[in-house]
Amino acid sequence: MVVECSNLIVGSLLLLRFMLYILSSLPVSMFYLSKIEHTLPLPAPQLSRPIREAIHTELEKLFLDKVIANLGLCVSVYDIKSIEGGFIYPGDGAPTYTVVFNLIMFRPFVGEIMTAKLLSSDADGLRLSLGFFDDIYVPLQHLPSPNEFKAESKNSTKGTWYWKYEEQSYPVDDSDMIKFRIQNVTYPSIPVEQPKESKPFAPMLVTGSIDHDGLGPVSWWPGQEEDAEEEEEEETAAEE
């Protein structure tokens, strides 16, 4: 039992160091600590574990990779500030605790400049990905103009966007990183009914733009490719 607890503690410390490494390689401003108070029933199978460790596991199940409206996407349970209670209410076999804790939330602010990879491109615009978050959209009106869209085939909605500048065409493709500016962050309401042909529901949507100098694929702007390559190498090292 002591060996198992020691392994769990070591594993938790390694996970915390890994999260801190990732956060140190990304712009700090897009992440926030949010203090939450939550009433948590602790399932019977968890009662044999140390109370703080068991509650931390249950909090991760509840919040990790989940979106909280107006707070953002939870990427980690940072710490637990206090645990109170432990009462067993009539008709309930699990003790209930009141827990105060901090979550690390991803919530970019309007006007922030970020770097992402192209996930897809269609007639409506671009979809970008940060690796851990994919619901970033650059609509047609926020692309640089004049522009041109070339479909992959006659009946396809997928294709490549081109920026037309001084008789040259500059593609927006997945060959390099893309810098964009945050235009808006929204938290759509969960639809009562959703058509089968519609896109999967996204509880958090980020709208971006690349219609300003210095934005778009880094290959468009000399001197930015090296910075993007360094960022990509840091992200790759963190994933390994």
Side-chain angles (χ1 to χ4, degrees):
M1 185 66 179
V2 174
V3 174
E4 291 181 359
C5 290
S6 298
N7 290 337
L8 287 171
I9 292 171
V10 171
S12 298
L13 290 173
L14 290 174
L15 178 62
L16 179 59
R17 289 183 64 186
F18 176 71
M19 287 302 304
L20 291 174
Y21 179 87
I22 292 177
L23 294 179
S24 66
S25 65
L26 294 169
V28 178
S29 55
M30 72 176 73
F31 294 97
Y32 298 84
L33 279 181
S34 291
K35 189 175 182 180
I36 306 290
E37 181 176 314
H38 185 70
T39 301
L40 179 73
L42 193 62
Q46 296 283 7
L47 297 179
S48 61
R49 303 174 62 188
I51 184 65
R52 183 171 290 268
E53 181 182 295
I55 287 178
H56 191 280
T57 297
E58 290 302 306
L59 290 176
E60 286 185 333
K61 291 179 182 178
L62 284 173
F63 294 100
L64 196 60
D65 294 328
K66 304 294 193 307
V67 170
I68 303 176
N70 300 317
L71 290 182
L73 172 71
C74 175
V75 297
S76 178
V77 178
Y78 183 71
D79 62 5
I80 297 175
K81 307 301 290 184
S82 66
I83 301 172
E84 296 180 356
F87 304 108
I88 300 178
Y89 296 102
D92 191 354
T96 299
Y97 296 89
T98 299
V99 187
V100 178
F101 52 97
N102 284 315
L103 298 177
I104 299 178
M105 308 297 294
F106 165 70
R107 187 177 77 248
F109 62 84
V110 174
E112 184 173 6
I113 304 297
M114 300 177 65
T115 304
K117 293 182 179 180
L118 180 68
L119 192 63
S120 63
S121 177
D122 59 26
D124 295 324
L126 313 174
R127 183 180 182 185
L128 308 180
S129 173
L130 294 172
F132 63 91
F133 183 76
D134 297 338
D135 293 311
I136 304 171
Y137 296 90
V138 180
L140 172 60
Q141 64 269 26
H142 290 309
L143 295 175
S145 60
N147 54 57
E148 180 185 10
F149 178 73
K150 294 183 180 180
E152 292 178 352
S153 60
K154 184 176 181 181
N155 297 321
S156 175
T157 59
K158 303 292 184 181
T160 303
W161 282 97
Y162 292 84
W163 175 36
K164 314 286 285 186
Y165 180 72
E166 293 186 351
E167 300 183 354
Q168 296 289 328
S169 293
Y170 298 90
V172 182
D173 53 33
D174 58 1
S175 62
D176 52 18
M177 304 296 287
I178 296 174
K179 282 194 173 183
F180 66 99
R181 174 179 289 145
I182 303 295
Q183 293 292 120
N184 195 19
V185 180
T186 58
Y187 303 90
S189 301
I190 299 175
V192 178
E193 294 184 6
Q194 191 168 5
K196 292 182 179 180
E197 65 277 5
S198 63
K199 297 179 180 178
F201 174 72
M204 176 179 171
L205 292 174
V206 174
T207 301
S209 68
I210 61 170
D211 58 346
H212 296 279
D213 289 348
L215 302 181
V218 295
S219 60
W220 290 0
W221 311 98
Q224 290 194 7
E225 284 186 279
E226 293 183 2
D227 295 338
E229 287 175 1
E230 290 178 1
E231 291 179 10
E232 190 171 6
E233 287 175 0
E234 290 176 354
E235 291 177 6
T236 302
E239 290 174 0
E240 294 174 352

